[in-house]
Amino acid sequence: MKFSKGTKLLALGILLVIIDQVIKILVKTNMCLGEHFSVIGNWFQILFIENEGMAFGMKFGGAVGKACLSIFRIVLSAVLIWWISKLCKRGSDRDPSRPAVPTGVLVGLTLITAGALGNIFDCLFYGLIFSESTVMQVAQFGGSYAPFLFGKVVDMFYFPLFTWPDWVPLIGGDIFFSPVFNFADSCVSVGAVYLLLFQYKFFSAEE
């Protein structure tokens, strides 16, 4: 059986979202907030924190900003899904007048879309299906700590690679890479960097 390009991309996107959610649920239902353990030495740790929805633990505008960010992510993901489906048709019987889009472009956009959807799921539903995570208590299924749109995003990957020497101006004593992030953030970052570095010619031509 031969699967279409769109079907393959859909399968990839679903797989990435499932991986992201499995990791987050395992962390949220087995670790207290702030709990951590080392994976490889001290430079790769699993550290459970939650944030209001922006990548790498950043915050934006309180409750109003949180709601706006969630809605913006939903709209952006819908636009990306529509755009990917449109690009998939190029070079096919449905749109033979334009050349086919490079597979790398479609994969990069799928990575970004899957990452956005992974974090959207946290914002939309985690507050409704989990009890609150605290420094003393592990979250449980069946609770409710926040309304729709106001769930917190679960982060866990922490890479404190090294600390800058004290004599370095402005950043002396700081950790080289301090943000804590999740698999969905990684998908967005990898997809965006890949498109910028290796597929910029396609977007230049589109303009």
Side-chain angles (χ1 to χ4, degrees):
M1 180 182 296
K2 186 177 181 180
F3 295 100
S4 67
K5 186 181 296 185
T7 301
K8 293 177 182 178
L9 292 171
L10 177 62
L12 173 62
I14 292 174
L15 176 62
L16 293 174
V17 172
I18 289 174
I19 291 172
D20 174 65
Q21 289 301 309
V22 167
I23 295 171
K24 288 174 177 175
I25 291 172
L26 286 174
V27 168
K28 189 167 180 64
T29 58
N30 287 278
M31 299 178 68
C32 294
L33 197 63
E35 186 177 350
H36 67 94
F37 61 88
S38 295
V39 178
I40 302 177
N42 289 324
W43 63 269
F44 176 26
Q45 302 177 28
I46 299 297
L47 168 60
F48 174 32
I49 68 168
E50 293 181 312
N51 70 72
E52 299 301 324
M54 292 191 73
F56 301 106
M58 295 182 287
K59 295 183 179 181
F60 173 72
V64 174
K66 168 72 171 177
C68 291
L69 181 62
S70 297
I71 295 171
F72 172 76
R73 271 189 169 146
I74 294 170
V75 173
L76 177 62
S77 297
V79 171
L80 284 171
I81 292 171
W82 169 81
W83 191 27
I84 293 170
S85 65
K86 185 177 179 181
L87 292 177
C88 285
K89 297 175 183 178
R90 292 193 186 179
S92 68
D93 295 337
R94 288 176 289 180
D95 189 9
S97 61
R98 308 188 69 180
V101 176
T103 301
V105 171
L106 297 172
V107 171
L109 291 173
T110 299
L111 284 170
I112 294 172
T113 306
L117 289 172
N119 284 334
I120 285 172
F121 192 90
D122 297 26
C123 296
L124 297 186
F125 302 113
Y126 274 26
L128 301 174
I129 63 177
F130 289 113
S131 61
E132 187 170 9
S133 297
T134 70
V135 295
M136 299 294 293
Q137 185 173 341
V138 176
Q140 303 292 326
F141 280 108
S144 179
Y145 72 84
F148 186 67
L149 288 180
F150 287 89
K152 296 179 181 179
V153 175
V154 175
D155 290 331
M156 75 293 295
F157 296 137
Y158 182 42
F159 290 87
L161 301 179
F162 63 87
T163 301
W164 291 102
D166 292 334
W167 51 265
V168 178
L170 302 178
I171 57 175
D174 292 341
I175 295 174
F176 169 70
F177 188 75
S178 59
V180 183
F181 58 98
N182 57 42
F183 185 79
D185 296 332
S186 301
C187 289
V188 173
S189 299
V190 170
V193 171
Y194 171 75
L195 291 176
L196 286 172
L197 294 180
F198 301 105
Q199 301 295 339
Y200 64 91
K201 291 183 179 180
F202 169 79
F203 295 100
S204 298
E206 285 294 293
E207 291 178 2

